[in-house]
Amino acid sequence: MQTAEIRRRFLAHFENAGHTVVPSAPLLFDDPNLLFVNAGMVPFKPYFLGQETPPWNTATSVQKCVRTQDIEEVGKTTRHGTFFQMNGNFSFGDYFKAGAITHAWSLITSSVDDGGLGFDPDTIWVTVLHSDDEARSLWKEIAGLPDERIQSRGLLDNYWHMGVAGPGGPASEIYVDRGPEFGPDGGPVVDEDRFLEIWNLVFMQEEITNVRAKDQFDVLGDLPNKNIDTGMGLERVAYLLQGKGNLYEIDEVFPVIEKASEISGRTYGKDHADDVRFRVVADHVRSGLMLMGDGVTPGNEARGYVLRRLLRRAVRSMRLLGYDDPALPELLPVSLDRMKASYPELEADFPRISQIAYAEEDAFRQTLGKGTQIFESAAIAVKDSGGTTLPGEQAFALHDTYGFPIDLTLEMASEQGLAVDEEGFRSLMAEQRSRAKADAKSKKGAHADTTVYRAALDTNGPTDWLAYTDLTTESRVIALIAGGDSVPAIAAGSIGEVVLDRTPFYAESGGQNADAGVLTWDGGRAEVLDVQRPVRGLVVHQVRVLDGELTLDQQLEAAVDPEWRLGARQAHSGTHVVHAALREVLGPTALQSGSYNRPGYLRLDFGWNSALSPDQLHHVEDVSNRALRADLPVSAQIMSLPEAREWGALALFGETYGEDVRVVEIGGPWSRELCGGTHVERSSQIGTLVITSDGSVGAGNRRIEALTGIEGFDYLARERDVVRQLTEILKTQPDEVPARVRDLVERLKSAEKTAERMKAAQLLGAAGDVAATAKDINGVAYVGHHAAGAGGGDVRTLALDIRGRLRDRPAVVVVIGDAGDKPSAVVALNDAAQERGLSANQLIGVVGDKIGGRGGGKADVAQGGGTDVSAIPAALAAVEAALSA
């Protein structure tokens, strides 16, 4: 049975049982404690925690998940994978244990012809919490399982909670006996390879507190509503029903292995080391596809770094399989072909996805080249010093700076006959992880407790939010918050949070800054500093009370600054216009990946591989301003998410949308996007649109910045003033300024070159005199010279010239320049000096120790730099001392 068919059957089974089918949330979910969704219940957490009221009593989903803690183990075992899909059914105060067990047993044991999965009931085992006699009885009653196939386990295995105070409850896990060839008999308590878990049913029935460990917590009492949360691993079920040995051999994964085998010439199943690499490729290519499909782009931090690491590990594994050509163009389309049955949006978005992936591989291939050069220099230095081990800090630098995994460094070191200080490397890696964990912990700590906001919402209901229609409202204060607690008043001069029964203020979201404005009441006034939505349905204003005292139940006027709102509307509508113009000029793959706007300013990130040419930028700006001149109508309407997608509305990658969405149009289908921001009524109201910059924000991503409205006109006015000043200075017409400036620059460059030639001639003219100062040290002519004002190129030329004048005897020449207040040194030896066992590469180290730097090279010539100009005499003396020893 194909994986997509198992997925379809699961959803159909629960939909037929009255459950609402909830689409998978994006892998990027709005949870400060998670990089990615890592479990099927994550999108439902607010309902289980009581933070929000679920819109349905029962639901079912197949949730995309990514877990990254086991990346290093992927492929080494057949259990670890990064991307997986979790089938789930959920009840919020509706059915409980009996219902969950009935639904599960019916699906897994019903025949394929009847829509079930067709597992043999005699192969099914279950576990229950040792104290859950009710679950044991229900399994016997509903499924007819004998006692010996219902095994009891403790809290560590069969109790679920979130690791914090909140809901929890016993769990019952369903296992399939794979047969004696997979291990000993005796059920899951004996062997979990033979007895494979496929489904976990969690009975949320208790409120717990004082959580000290997975199996150490206190129970406060029963929950008012008992809930069901289940998770069935789709890939596990697939490889059981497809008769495969592991998740890498199922229909959605194995074709990538087959393609990798075909292009590499290696055979899967013959060599364990190669098999690990094949599995890494298959897993990481699929995970990368799904992450990019949900809007993740490669980067150096957080989610972007995880994606970058996955893609680069896949490319590196292909290299270790002997395939050095670009691999992702061969493999990614294969993964797409297998995943599009369940996720058809991947095919429509593949031009963007592939563009990002292939650009990342190209960048990594270049990085590999640079890193290889660094590695080879380090290896030569180790060998020249008589060492046999590459230091751990150099292996770490290769990993941290160039993305070299340690096993790649080990492979390259082995080829050079060197070992690697793995202990030192791993120590530095541990330090880095500790810093990352501390940073993550601090960020999690900043995640505010929403209890006080939930109380305000439960007591007063959702805020009547009028930002789309009003700039002022007559409002009443329904909650005041300071320091995380409800307070009766906020005094003059203090900052606190205010919840109003109705508000015209836009709360920060979708890349748009919150509105600015004031609250005024009889005898008082407060400045609105920020507006947020800490929980769905509630708008909270952060204010500074300027006059009077703000108290509960105060009647007041909430007024948005009209100039601020106008600028914000212009910028947000301008963002949509630039996005549409980019797609018109560059093509449909130039899709927005992020944005930010405030009054008069917009920033838009989009998928693209190269810098835009001046002509392209001008064209985008021209298309944008022509759209403004056309006075296109701007409208917004609410529709269901499927309707919006069918209508062709573009969604921002990584955003989470509800069942109903707001679609903003500018000029009809020319610009049609999902958006919750404030906008102008017609495009001409944007005023003007001036692109100020285009820059890179990572492989495959560009960022455009632009100004709108009065800010755009101000920018153009400043540019005009600059041109006017230049025309006055250069005594020319505005259109002749560029040519005049180019002419002046060329003349300046020519003068500088002439000065450099004269300086070099002067230095070389003194070479004979400097050579004549050679000292005889143990039969070696030594010249140590401080070349005042000379830079790297001149220093090297002078050192080689002096060496050439000392052909009649062994010679060591050291020249150190000080251009730019930074020492640059060259050590040059002739053949006779080398025959005495002397090495320029060793002597440059003596120089570097003194001038605060380092260098390298070969036995005849080496060069380096430093930081301490005052130490040049000491460096020359140190070389003389080394020769005297």
Side-chain angles (χ1 to χ4, degrees):
M1 189 181 296
Q2 297 286 290
T3 306
E5 174 62 12
I6 300 170
R7 178 183 187 275
R8 187 199 66 76
R9 285 172 179 257
F10 183 91
L11 293 175
H13 175 79
F14 283 100
E15 186 175 24
N16 291 336
H19 294 62
T20 299
V21 176
V22 178
S24 173
L27 288 165
L28 287 72
F29 195 68
D30 185 19
D31 189 319
N33 298 314
L34 297 174
L35 276 179
F36 306 111
V37 172
N38 63 359
M41 56 76 61
V42 167
F44 302 95
K45 275 172 63 176
Y47 311 132
F48 290 133
L49 290 172
Q51 295 173 344
E52 297 181 23
T53 301
W56 354 260
N57 292 330
T58 60
T60 185
S61 71
V62 178
Q63 176 61 47
K64 297 176 286 187
C65 302
V66 166
R67 291 181 185 170
T68 59
Q69 63 266 37
D70 293 327
I71 284 180
E72 297 292 346
E73 298 304 313
V74 169
K76 295 178 183 177
T77 74
T78 56
R79 285 194 168 206
H80 292 92
T82 48
F83 173 82
F84 61 96
Q85 299 159 90
M86 189 60 73
N87 300 344
N89 58 288
F90 309 91
S91 168
F92 307 98
D94 193 271
Y95 62 81
F96 197 47
K97 293 181 184 180
I101 291 171
T102 299
H103 288 312
W105 184 254
S106 172
L107 175 63
I108 62 177
T109 61
S110 291
S111 70
V112 172
D113 291 342
D114 290 336
L117 299 181
F119 282 102
D120 181 353
D122 292 337
T123 66
I124 305 300
W125 292 61
V126 299
T127 61
V128 297
L129 185 66
H130 55 69
S131 59
D132 194 354
D133 294 333
E134 181 186 5
R136 173 178 286 276
S137 296
L138 287 169
W139 276 115
K140 293 168 68 175
E141 175 187 335
I142 295 169
L145 286 179
D147 278 324
E148 61 269 20
R149 284 199 275 134
I150 307 172
Q151 297 187 319
S152 298
R153 281 184 155 178
L155 294 170
L156 200 60
D157 293 301
N158 278 68
Y159 193 95
W160 179 92
H161 58 77
M162 298 176 67
V164 295
S172 180
E173 297 177 327
I174 303 173
Y175 292 79
V176 174
D177 181 359
R178 303 167 71 193
E181 64 270 29
F182 291 97
D185 201 356
V189 298
V190 173
D191 188 294
E192 289 200 5
D193 283 325
R194 171 174 172 173
F195 299 89
L196 189 73
E197 179 201 343
I198 61 167
W199 207 342
N200 185 20
L201 315 180
V202 177
F203 312 130
M204 290 190 200
Q205 62 189 51
E206 297 169 335
E207 183 178 1
I208 66 170
T209 188
N210 194 21
V211 179
R212 302 174 294 282
K214 178 77 165 60
D215 57 346
Q216 296 178 30
F217 50 85
D218 298 328
V219 177
L220 287 177
D222 290 338
L223 290 170
N225 289 317
K226 295 180 178 180
N227 303 319
I228 290 294
D229 159 32
T230 84
M232 169 195 271
L234 179 55
E235 282 77 8
R236 286 196 176 186
V237 174
Y239 75 73
L240 288 174
L241 292 181
Q242 292 173 21
K244 304 300 182 181
N246 56 69
L247 65 89
Y248 297 101
E249 297 175 6
I250 65 172
D251 62 299
E252 287 189 348
V253 182
F254 193 67
V256 175
I257 292 179
E258 290 181 309
K259 185 65 176 180
S261 175
E262 173 192 329
I263 63 178
S264 69
R266 304 279 182 94
T267 302
Y268 181 71
K270 282 193 173 182
D271 178 82
H272 176 71
D274 280 354
D275 287 353
V276 170
R277 292 160 187 156
F278 279 122
R279 291 193 285 261
V280 167
V281 169
D283 174 86
H284 289 5
V285 166
R286 185 170 77 138
S287 298
L289 171 69
M290 302 308 297
L291 286 170
M292 289 182 288
D294 276 355
V296 184
T297 55
N300 291 326
E301 295 182 358
R303 293 161 170 159
Y305 179 71
V306 171
L307 173 60
R308 170 162 288 168
R309 191 176 174 203
L310 291 170
L311 294 178
R312 292 187 171 190
R313 277 173 57 88
V315 171
R316 174 181 56 84
S317 294
M318 288 303 297
R319 177 184 181 277
L320 295 176
L321 287 166
Y323 188 77
D324 292 329
D325 292 333
L328 293 181
E330 299 286 343
L331 303 173
L332 202 64
V334 177
S335 188
L336 167 71
D337 187 58
R338 303 312 304 167
M339 298 305 297
K340 66 184 182 184
S342 295
Y343 305 98
E345 65 273 13
L346 290 172
E347 186 169 30
D349 198 27
F350 194 67
R352 179 191 65 87
I353 294 169
S354 58
Q355 185 180 69
I356 292 170
Y358 303 161
E360 178 64 19
E361 179 170 15
D362 289 342
F364 183 46
R365 287 167 63 84
Q366 294 175 19
T367 291
L368 276 174
K370 294 175 184 176
T372 299
Q373 292 176 5
I374 299 298
F375 170 82
E376 288 175 351
S377 295
I380 289 171
V382 170
K383 289 180 177 180
D384 286 347
S385 67
T388 59
T389 302
L390 187 75
E393 58 265 24
Q394 290 182 323
F396 178 76
L398 282 166
H399 166 85
D400 201 43
T401 305
Y402 296 100
F404 270 48
I406 184 61
D407 49 351
L408 180 57
T409 303
L410 288 168
E411 177 200 5
M412 294 172 65
S414 177
E415 292 170 356
Q416 296 273 1
L418 296 174
V420 178
D421 176 14
E422 291 187 68
E423 185 176 343
F425 168 81
R426 299 193 190 284
S427 175
L428 291 167
M429 283 294 294
E431 290 178 18
Q432 185 186 64
R433 289 193 187 101
S434 295
R435 288 192 298 270
K437 286 180 180 178
D439 181 56
K441 187 176 181 180
S442 68
K443 289 177 181 176
K444 289 180 184 180
H447 183 42
D449 181 1
T450 61
T451 303
V452 66
Y453 305 114
R454 291 297 313 169
L457 182 64
D458 292 342
T459 302
N460 302 284
T463 305
D464 186 8
W465 188 60
L466 303 171
Y468 293 143
T469 56
D470 295 73
L471 288 176
T472 62
T473 59
E474 295 298 321
S475 306
R476 178 174 66 89
V477 176
I478 58 176
L480 295 171
I481 301 163
D485 295 317
S486 294
V487 294
I490 302 175
S494 298
I495 293 177
E497 293 178 304
V498 181
V499 181
L500 303 174
D501 60 345
R502 68 179 59 88
T503 182
F505 282 87
Y506 183 83
E508 179 183 3
S509 64
Q512 179 176 330
N513 258 13
D515 280 333
V518 293
L519 308 179
T520 56
W521 61 95
D522 187 17
R525 185 166 61 99
E527 173 189 11
V528 176
L529 305 175
D530 191 17
V531 188
Q532 298 290 333
R533 295 177 181 268
V535 295
R536 189 178 300 173
L538 196 73
V539 177
V540 178
H541 313 71
Q542 185 188 61
V543 304
R544 178 188 289 111
V545 177
L546 303 176
D547 302 300
E549 183 180 57
L550 186 56
T551 59
L552 278 172
D553 293 321
Q554 177 70 59
Q555 296 289 331
L556 53 76
E557 181 185 71
V560 175
D561 181 338
E563 288 298 315
W564 179 280
R565 171 67 70 80
L566 174 60
R569 293 164 66 205
Q570 289 173 322
H572 205 148
S573 296
T575 305
H576 287 222
V577 167
V578 172
H579 189 200
L582 278 168
R583 288 182 283 109
E584 181 173 323
V585 172
L586 302 179
T589 62
L591 287 170
Q592 177 180 337
S593 58
S595 69
Y596 169 76
N597 52 77
R598 62 174 186 265
Y601 168 85
L602 68 89
R603 183 182 75 207
L604 185 144
D605 296 345
F606 62 101
W608 201 249
N609 284 332
S610 58
L612 272 62
S613 69
D615 284 346
Q616 286 175 317
L617 276 175
H618 177 74
H619 195 182
V620 171
E621 189 176 68
D622 183 62
V623 169
S624 299
N625 282 296
R626 287 181 182 276
L628 270 56
R629 188 176 70 174
D631 196 28
L632 301 173
V634 181
S635 63
Q637 53 186 304
I638 304 296
M639 61 184 68
S640 71
L641 185 57
E643 287 174 333
R645 285 175 172 157
E646 186 176 345
W647 211 33
L650 298 174
L652 179 62
F653 294 109
E655 285 291 316
T656 302
Y657 297 98
E659 292 187 356
D660 291 326
V661 294
R662 182 171 180 258
V663 178
V664 173
E665 282 190 322
I666 300 178
W670 184 71
S671 171
R672 188 175 278 163
E673 300 188 31
L674 273 59
C675 180
T678 59
H679 289 272
V680 297
E681 282 79 31
R682 303 192 70 84
S683 61
S684 62
Q685 295 171 353
I686 297 171
T688 190
L689 202 148
V690 183
I691 294 177
T692 58
S693 72
D694 160 52
S696 172
V697 286
N701 262 308
R702 307 292 300 175
R703 171 172 292 171
I704 273 185
E705 294 181 279
L707 298 174
T708 58
I710 195 67
E711 286 79 4
F713 286 114
D714 287 345
Y715 177 86
L716 293 174
R718 292 193 299 273
E719 295 283 291
R720 178 194 61 200
D721 288 343
V722 170
V723 173
R724 179 182 56 77
Q725 293 174 45
L726 286 172
T727 58
E728 291 176 356
I729 293 170
L730 298 172
K731 307 299 183 186
T732 189
Q733 295 301 309
D735 58 352
E736 296 175 353
V737 166
R740 288 294 303 275
V741 170
R742 280 194 296 270
D743 180 59
L744 287 173
V745 170
E746 288 300 319
R747 289 163 61 185
L748 179 60
K749 287 181 179 178
S750 177
E752 289 175 343
K753 288 180 180 178
T754 300
E756 288 174 2
R757 285 195 298 269
M758 292 176 64
K759 180 180 175 183
Q762 185 179 15
L763 279 170
L764 293 176
D769 294 336
V770 176
T773 66
K775 298 179 181 179
D776 185 281
I777 302 175
N778 294 331
V780 174
Y782 170 60
V783 174
H785 179 61
H786 178 180
D794 291 336
V795 168
R796 185 181 179 90
T797 300
L798 181 58
L800 296 178
D801 189 287
I802 295 170
R803 183 185 67 174
R805 296 171 186 267
L806 299 170
R807 294 194 187 96
D808 57 333
R809 48 189 164 154
V812 172
V813 178
V814 181
V815 179
I816 307 178
D818 59 12
D821 289 330
K822 286 190 176 180
S824 55
V826 172
V827 179
L829 277 64
N830 60 15
D831 291 342
Q834 294 175 63
E835 289 170 2
R836 289 203 172 198
L838 298 174
S839 168
N841 192 48
Q842 290 179 340
L843 293 174
I844 196 68
V846 175
V847 175
D849 287 342
K850 294 297 182 183
I851 61 175
R854 60 198 312 180
K858 298 182 179 179
D860 60 338
V861 180
Q863 62 188 55
T867 57
D868 187 0
V869 171
S870 66
I872 290 176
L876 296 173
V879 176
E880 183 175 343
L883 295 173
S884 300

